[in-house]
Every structure is written in C-alpha cells, then in structure tokens.
Amino acid sequence: MSTEQQQTLDAILRQSAFPVDSDVSEQRRLLRELTSAQPLPADVTAKPTTLGGVPTTEITVDGIEARHVVLYFHGGVYVLGDAISAAGLAAEVGRRTGARVFSVDYRLAPEHPYPAAVDDALAAYEALLGDGVAPSDIVLAGESAGGGLAIATLVNARDHGLPLPAAAYVMSPYVDLTLAGTTMETKRAADPLLSRELLEPRVTDYTAGQDAALALISPVFADLAGLPPLIIQVGTNEVLLDDAVRLAQQAATADVEVTLDITPRVPHVFQAYQPLLDEAGAALDRAGQFLTARLTGTERVTG
C-alpha cells in the first residue's frame, strides 16, 4: 500500500499548499483551518501552561507514567503555527518516549523577529532545569523550523554553560535560512509543500535585516561540538533534504553522535501524516527507540 499512500498524500498536500503570493495573515488563516480539522486522539490531553514566562502547552498521554520530558518546538518557518497545532505530532513523540511533552509557543515573526524565538526556547529549557528536571531526563524535539530551533537551543544552552539534555530529535529540520541547499532546486518538482519562492519572504520576516547565516538563525553553520546525540529524519521529496544531510555532516565532523534517517519518496514532516502513511509511524517508532535508549542510558551513567 505504501506507493498508493504516498501518491494519495502527495495529491492532498499539493491541493492544500499555500499560494506562493499569499501573505503571513493568509497563511496563518489557512494553517488554522487545516489544523483545526485534526482533533487530538482521545487518550491525549493538552493544557496551557508556562515555562520561564513563555506560554507552552503541556501534553500527556493516558496510561503513560511520564518520567521524562520532551521539550517540543513546532514548525511554521518562524512565522506560522503554535504550540497546540503541533500537539498531535508532539504527543506521538511523547507516547514513544514515555514522556510528558511541553510544546513551546515561542514568539513569531514578523511581529517578533530573531532572536525572540531563540530567547523563548532557551528560557523554556532553563525553566525546566530550574524546576528540578534533570537534564538527563530531557530530550528536545521539533519539526521543520522547530527542528532548527531545537538545534539552535542546544548550541545556545551549551554557550551559556547549561547542562545539555540527553538527546534531540529533529524532523525535516530547517537549518539553513540562506536557502543554499542544492535540493532547494533539485527537489523542487518533488516537494508538494515548500519552495524557494514560498520561503524567501518568510526568511526576510524572521531575520529582519540580520545575517541569515548567523549560527542561531541557521545552525547548519554553527559549531556543533559537545552536543548530545541527534536523530535527524527527512524525506527525499523535500527541498530541505540537503539541510538535514549537511546538518548530519556538521554534527559528525564535530564528533557528535548522529543518526541520519532518510525515507524515500515522502514529503516534508511526513511523520505528521501517521494515519495516512505507514512510513510515518515506522519513523516515529525508530525515533522513540533512539530517544528512549539515550534517556535510559544516561540514567544508568548518572544514577
């Protein structure tokens, strides 16, 4: 069924893709319409809370004794989305990791350009530590821009001298806002969602005149030395494929333990389409195994 599933999903995504000439308010409206039509599973509870003064959504799954915490960052190229819109996917990460999840409502551009999102992400992580959660019990996760923000938060936390979490999981990470990846062109026809034309105005919104190659804007250019183990997942039908590949290369060059997990013929953040695509659940299972091993492994070392 996989080929048929992939083709069906591709057709759905092409039909619902944002018009290239749409502005931020129109894109936000379209995204709200899409996400509001997808209710959370019956065993998932989401409630508003805060971490370090930053709004978050706490997500729990019935029946899971949550000893661990996932700090989750939603996608939306830094201008779209919110914590609750990502709750369905974030819950699946929590389910497979035996963790409660805090999805972070970081401030969005253009109203709040860089470094607002980066500051909010670090504040949320610091608050977890301040609340007494051991770093060895925390993993970071995120999709698209949220994946980039997760990596930037690791770099930022390291540079602030904070203890780092057990691991991080990023899905289709958006880590190069200079848009220099070769697949920005070579995967243009294959990607049903994203394109250079769609991304360029949103880059301008977020960077607000600052250099898009700054390490905390585009962490593919950051020094990744000392970061915890990473699992990076990406599909081959996306213009951001090269972002993920280069991020893995940078991590490996910096002696970071990294797993690059590439699934053929699936789109951007394919894990979000678990009900439609067998590969989505399988990828989440692999990530859950990776994260659980690092959480329990860290516990043994420190316990």
Side-chain angles (χ1 to χ4, degrees):
M1 288 295 289
S2 185
T3 301
E4 186 178 330
Q5 289 173 344
Q6 290 166 358
Q7 291 171 347
T8 300
L9 178 58
D10 189 271
I12 291 169
L13 294 178
R14 288 183 188 279
Q15 204 168 29
S16 60
F18 295 147
V20 166
D21 58 355
S22 55
D23 63 14
V24 169
S25 58
E26 174 67 2
Q27 290 180 5
R28 287 175 178 169
R29 184 187 67 78
L30 291 169
L31 183 63
R32 279 194 301 272
E33 285 182 6
L34 283 172
T35 55
S36 64
Q38 300 166 9
L40 291 174
D43 65 346
V44 173
T45 301
K47 65 178 184 181
T49 183
T50 60
L51 280 174
V54 179
T56 59
T57 296
E58 183 178 3
I59 302 157
T60 53
V61 180
D62 292 351
I64 289 181
E65 281 292 328
R67 295 184 302 137
H68 308 303
V69 173
V70 174
L71 190 63
Y72 192 91
F73 304 105
H74 68 81
V77 295
Y78 294 110
V79 303
L80 310 171
D82 54 34
I84 192 65
S85 68
L89 181 52
E92 294 308 317
V93 179
R95 185 190 303 279
R96 288 164 171 81
T97 315
R100 60 190 168 126
V101 182
F102 290 94
S103 180
V104 181
D105 240 336
Y106 56 87
R107 287 169 291 170
L108 299 177
E111 297 89 345
H112 304 284
Y114 173 83
V118 169
D119 290 345
D120 288 353
L122 186 67
Y125 179 62
E126 283 186 294
L128 279 181
L129 298 177
D131 287 344
V133 182
S136 57
D137 283 332
I138 302 171
V139 295
L140 304 192
E143 97 272 356
S144 194
L149 187 54
I151 301 298
T153 302
L154 294 175
V155 171
N156 206 12
R158 180 203 64 197
D159 291 350
H160 278 81
L162 297 174
L164 296 182
Y169 169 35
V170 295
M171 295 166 266
S172 302
Y174 180 39
V175 289
D176 180 6
L177 274 69
T178 73
L179 308 181
T182 58
T183 50
M184 197 60 61
E185 302 304 329
T186 61
K187 292 295 182 177
R188 181 189 183 100
D191 193 324
L193 282 174
L194 297 181
S195 65
R196 181 184 299 279
E197 291 76 15
L198 199 63
L199 291 170
E200 279 177 340
R202 306 292 78 90
V203 170
T204 302
D205 288 340
Y206 183 57
T207 56
Q210 298 181 82
D211 184 359
L214 287 172
L216 296 183
I217 292 178
S218 295
V220 75
F221 302 120
D223 172 13
L224 304 182
L227 266 53
L230 308 176
I231 180 165
I232 303 166
Q233 291 184 339
V234 68
T236 62
N237 281 13
E238 51 177 314
V239 294
L240 295 185
L241 171 60
D242 200 39
D243 281 39
V245 171
R246 287 181 295 141
L247 179 65
Q249 289 173 332
Q250 282 291 95
T253 300
D255 297 320
V256 173
E257 179 193 336
V258 58
T259 295
L260 176 61
D261 181 349
I262 300 176
T263 299
R265 296 180 300 280
V266 295
H268 187 62
V269 196
F270 67 95
Q271 299 87 343
Y273 309 107
Q274 186 182 208
L276 298 174
L277 195 63
D278 292 339
E279 289 90 342
L284 286 163
D285 288 346
R286 291 193 299 274
Q289 290 161 4
F290 179 97
L291 295 175
T292 300
R294 273 70 194 173
L295 286 163
T296 56
T298 309
E299 281 182 350
R300 282 197 300 273
V301 170
T302 59

Short mmCIF file of all heavy atoms in Angstrom, two decimals, residues 151 175 218-227 230 232 242-258:
data_model
loop_
_atom_site.label_atom_id
_atom_site.label_comp_id
_atom_site.label_asym_id
_atom_site.label_seq_id
_atom_site.Cartn_x
_atom_site.Cartn_y
_atom_site.Cartn_z
N ILE A 151 18.00 22.60 17.48
CA ILE A 151 19.46 22.58 17.35
C ILE A 151 20.05 23.90 17.85
O ILE A 151 21.05 23.91 18.59
CB ILE A 151 19.87 22.32 15.89
CG1 ILE A 151 19.31 20.99 15.37
CG2 ILE A 151 21.40 22.34 15.76
CD1 ILE A 151 19.79 19.77 16.13
N VAL A 175 17.38 24.37 8.74
CA VAL A 175 18.57 24.85 9.45
C VAL A 175 19.44 25.77 8.60
O VAL A 175 20.49 26.21 9.05
CB VAL A 175 19.43 23.67 9.97
CG1 VAL A 175 18.73 22.97 11.13
CG2 VAL A 175 19.77 22.68 8.87
N SER A 218 20.71 29.97 11.43
CA SER A 218 20.95 28.83 10.53
C SER A 218 21.98 27.91 11.17
O SER A 218 23.18 27.98 10.86
CB SER A 218 21.45 29.32 9.17
OG SER A 218 20.47 30.09 8.51
N PRO A 219 21.54 27.03 12.08
CA PRO A 219 22.52 26.25 12.85
C PRO A 219 23.31 25.23 12.04
O PRO A 219 24.22 24.61 12.59
CB PRO A 219 21.66 25.57 13.93
CG PRO A 219 20.27 25.65 13.45
CD PRO A 219 20.17 26.87 12.59
N VAL A 220 23.02 25.10 10.75
CA VAL A 220 23.91 24.28 9.92
C VAL A 220 25.30 24.90 9.84
O VAL A 220 26.28 24.21 9.55
CB VAL A 220 23.31 24.07 8.50
CG1 VAL A 220 23.44 25.34 7.65
CG2 VAL A 220 23.95 22.88 7.79
N PHE A 221 25.40 26.19 10.14
CA PHE A 221 26.69 26.89 10.13
C PHE A 221 27.29 27.01 11.52
O PHE A 221 28.33 27.65 11.70
CB PHE A 221 26.52 28.28 9.51
CG PHE A 221 25.98 28.27 8.11
CD1 PHE A 221 24.78 28.91 7.81
CD2 PHE A 221 26.65 27.60 7.10
CE1 PHE A 221 24.27 28.90 6.52
CE2 PHE A 221 26.14 27.58 5.81
CZ PHE A 221 24.96 28.22 5.51
N ALA A 222 26.65 26.44 12.52
CA ALA A 222 27.13 26.56 13.91
C ALA A 222 28.21 25.53 14.21
O ALA A 222 28.31 24.49 13.54
CB ALA A 222 25.97 26.39 14.88
N ASP A 223 29.00 25.82 15.21
CA ASP A 223 29.91 24.82 15.79
C ASP A 223 29.05 23.90 16.65
O ASP A 223 28.46 24.34 17.64
CB ASP A 223 30.97 25.52 16.63
CG ASP A 223 31.83 24.55 17.42
OD1 ASP A 223 31.79 23.33 17.14
OD2 ASP A 223 32.55 25.01 18.34
N LEU A 224 28.97 22.63 16.30
CA LEU A 224 28.09 21.69 16.99
C LEU A 224 28.83 20.85 18.04
O LEU A 224 28.25 19.92 18.61
CB LEU A 224 27.40 20.77 15.98
CG LEU A 224 26.59 21.47 14.88
CD1 LEU A 224 25.91 20.44 13.99
CD2 LEU A 224 25.55 22.43 15.46
N ALA A 225 30.08 21.17 18.30
CA ALA A 225 30.89 20.38 19.24
C ALA A 225 30.22 20.32 20.61
O ALA A 225 29.71 21.32 21.12
CB ALA A 225 32.28 20.97 19.38
N GLY A 226 30.22 19.12 21.19
CA GLY A 226 29.71 18.94 22.53
C GLY A 226 28.22 18.70 22.62
O GLY A 226 27.68 18.53 23.73
N LEU A 227 27.51 18.68 21.48
CA LEU A 227 26.07 18.46 21.53
C LEU A 227 25.75 17.00 21.85
O LEU A 227 26.55 16.10 21.58
CB LEU A 227 25.43 18.85 20.19
CG LEU A 227 24.89 20.29 20.11
CD1 LEU A 227 25.92 21.33 20.48
CD2 LEU A 227 24.30 20.57 18.73
N LEU A 230 22.02 13.05 18.34
CA LEU A 230 20.95 13.58 17.49
C LEU A 230 20.40 12.49 16.60
O LEU A 230 21.15 11.67 16.07
CB LEU A 230 21.49 14.70 16.59
CG LEU A 230 22.27 15.85 17.20
CD1 LEU A 230 22.78 16.79 16.11
CD2 LEU A 230 21.40 16.61 18.21
N ILE A 232 18.14 12.67 13.13
CA ILE A 232 17.64 13.60 12.12
C ILE A 232 16.86 12.77 11.10
O ILE A 232 17.42 11.86 10.49
CB ILE A 232 18.80 14.33 11.41
CG1 ILE A 232 19.68 15.07 12.43
CG2 ILE A 232 18.28 15.27 10.34
CD1 ILE A 232 21.02 15.53 11.85
N ASP A 242 18.64 18.60 1.75
CA ASP A 242 20.06 18.93 1.90
C ASP A 242 20.35 19.61 3.24
O ASP A 242 21.46 19.49 3.77
CB ASP A 242 20.52 19.83 0.74
CG ASP A 242 22.02 19.82 0.57
OD1 ASP A 242 22.63 18.75 0.72
OD2 ASP A 242 22.60 20.89 0.28
N ASP A 243 19.36 20.30 3.81
CA ASP A 243 19.55 20.86 5.16
C ASP A 243 19.85 19.74 6.15
O ASP A 243 20.77 19.83 6.97
CB ASP A 243 18.29 21.61 5.62
CG ASP A 243 18.16 23.00 5.03
OD1 ASP A 243 18.49 23.18 3.84
OD2 ASP A 243 17.71 23.91 5.76
N ALA A 244 19.06 18.68 6.08
CA ALA A 244 19.23 17.56 7.01
C ALA A 244 20.57 16.85 6.79
O ALA A 244 21.28 16.51 7.75
CB ALA A 244 18.09 16.56 6.84
N VAL A 245 20.92 16.64 5.53
CA VAL A 245 22.17 15.93 5.20
C VAL A 245 23.37 16.74 5.69
O VAL A 245 24.29 16.20 6.33
CB VAL A 245 22.26 15.66 3.69
CG1 VAL A 245 23.63 15.12 3.31
CG2 VAL A 245 21.17 14.67 3.26
N ARG A 246 23.37 18.05 5.43
CA ARG A 246 24.51 18.88 5.85
C ARG A 246 24.57 19.04 7.36
O ARG A 246 25.66 19.09 7.94
CB ARG A 246 24.43 20.25 5.16
CG ARG A 246 24.78 20.19 3.67
CD ARG A 246 24.72 21.57 3.03
NE ARG A 246 23.36 22.08 3.05
CZ ARG A 246 23.04 23.35 3.28
NH1 ARG A 246 23.97 24.25 3.53
NH2 ARG A 246 21.78 23.72 3.27
N LEU A 247 23.41 19.07 8.01
CA LEU A 247 23.41 19.13 9.48
C LEU A 247 24.06 17.87 10.05
O LEU A 247 24.87 17.96 10.98
CB LEU A 247 21.97 19.27 9.99
CG LEU A 247 21.83 19.31 11.52
CD1 LEU A 247 22.49 20.54 12.11
CD2 LEU A 247 20.34 19.24 11.92
N ALA A 248 23.72 16.72 9.49
CA ALA A 248 24.32 15.47 9.96
C ALA A 248 25.83 15.47 9.72
O ALA A 248 26.61 15.02 10.58
CB ALA A 248 23.68 14.29 9.26
N GLN A 249 26.25 15.99 8.58
CA GLN A 249 27.69 16.07 8.28
C GLN A 249 28.39 16.99 9.28
O GLN A 249 29.48 16.65 9.78
CB GLN A 249 27.90 16.59 6.85
CG GLN A 249 27.52 15.58 5.78
CD GLN A 249 27.59 16.17 4.37
OE1 GLN A 249 27.41 17.38 4.18
NE2 GLN A 249 27.83 15.33 3.39
N GLN A 250 27.80 18.13 9.57
CA GLN A 250 28.38 19.06 10.54
C GLN A 250 28.50 18.43 11.91
O GLN A 250 29.50 18.59 12.61
CB GLN A 250 27.53 20.33 10.62
CG GLN A 250 27.71 21.31 9.48
CD GLN A 250 29.08 21.96 9.53
OE1 GLN A 250 30.01 21.50 8.87
NE2 GLN A 250 29.21 23.02 10.30
N ALA A 251 27.45 17.70 12.30
CA ALA A 251 27.47 17.04 13.60
C ALA A 251 28.57 15.98 13.65
O ALA A 251 29.33 15.90 14.63
CB ALA A 251 26.11 16.41 13.88
N ALA A 252 28.66 15.18 12.60
CA ALA A 252 29.68 14.12 12.57
C ALA A 252 31.08 14.71 12.60
O ALA A 252 31.97 14.21 13.30
CB ALA A 252 29.48 13.25 11.33
N THR A 253 31.29 15.78 11.85
CA THR A 253 32.59 16.45 11.83
C THR A 253 32.98 16.96 13.21
O THR A 253 34.16 17.00 13.58
CB THR A 253 32.57 17.61 10.82
OG1 THR A 253 32.27 17.09 9.52
CG2 THR A 253 33.91 18.32 10.75
N ALA A 254 31.94 17.34 14.01
CA ALA A 254 32.17 17.85 15.36
C ALA A 254 32.19 16.73 16.41
O ALA A 254 32.12 17.01 17.61
CB ALA A 254 31.10 18.87 15.71
N ASP A 255 32.25 15.48 15.94
CA ASP A 255 32.30 14.31 16.84
C ASP A 255 31.04 14.14 17.68
O ASP A 255 31.08 13.65 18.81
CB ASP A 255 33.52 14.38 17.78
CG ASP A 255 34.83 14.34 17.01
OD1 ASP A 255 34.92 13.57 16.04
OD2 ASP A 255 35.76 15.09 17.37
N VAL A 256 29.89 14.55 17.12
CA VAL A 256 28.60 14.33 17.77
C VAL A 256 28.03 13.00 17.27
O VAL A 256 28.09 12.70 16.08
CB VAL A 256 27.63 15.49 17.43
CG1 VAL A 256 26.23 15.20 17.96
CG2 VAL A 256 28.16 16.80 17.99
N GLU A 257 27.46 12.22 18.18
CA GLU A 257 26.76 11.00 17.76
C GLU A 257 25.52 11.40 16.99
O GLU A 257 24.66 12.12 17.51
CB GLU A 257 26.38 10.17 18.99
CG GLU A 257 25.63 8.89 18.63
CD GLU A 257 24.98 8.21 19.82
OE1 GLU A 257 25.44 8.44 20.96
OE2 GLU A 257 24.02 7.47 19.60
N VAL A 258 25.40 10.95 15.75
CA VAL A 258 24.27 11.39 14.93
C VAL A 258 23.75 10.23 14.08
O VAL A 258 24.54 9.45 13.53
CB VAL A 258 24.66 12.60 14.04
CG1 VAL A 258 25.83 12.27 13.12
CG2 VAL A 258 23.48 13.11 13.23
#
